[in-house]
Amino acid sequence: MPETTREKIRVTADKLFETVKQLIHEGNVRRLVIRQGDRTIMEVPLTIAAVGVLVAPLLAAIGALAAVASDYTLEIEREKRP
């Protein structure tokens, strides 16, 4: 199993959709967790095979979340590149 790194990014609701879209297109994100305070709102594994199937519904759900004015924390698990 490849090594992974984790990072957290705080985003406002108006930047949530674009930030997630950018992360998906980077291609090295293995898992994405969207939190609002201490609550996990959404947790999505982003394997290569699943990305093609999940992109449209995932982005629609993220857009709905962004309609609620709030701040979010994105927890990103990335695959380390050699």
Side-chain angles (χ1 to χ4, degrees):
M1 178 177 276
E3 274 190 63
T4 60
T5 61
R6 293 178 187 241
E7 64 181 279
K8 291 183 181 182
I9 300 173
R10 292 189 57 101
V11 295
T12 57
D14 61 326
K15 301 289 184 198
L16 180 64
F17 181 82
E18 286 302 318
T19 303
V20 170
K21 190 173 167 184
Q22 178 183 350
L23 289 168
I24 289 171
H25 289 292
E26 286 179 14
N28 65 339
V29 176
R30 297 181 49 87
R31 191 169 75 114
L32 177 65
V33 179
I34 301 173
R35 294 187 184 273
Q36 185 179 32
D38 292 335
R39 288 185 355 186
T40 298
I41 304 297
M42 185 181 293
E43 186 170 342
V44 183
L46 294 174
T47 61
I48 298 298
V51 168
V53 175
L54 291 176
V55 169
L58 173 64
L59 291 177
I62 303 274
L65 281 176
V68 178
S70 187
D71 292 336
Y72 296 94
T73 301
L74 299 176
E75 293 182 7
I76 304 148
E77 182 178 307
R78 297 178 186 269
E79 190 173 300
K80 277 189 178 178
R81 304 243 172 151

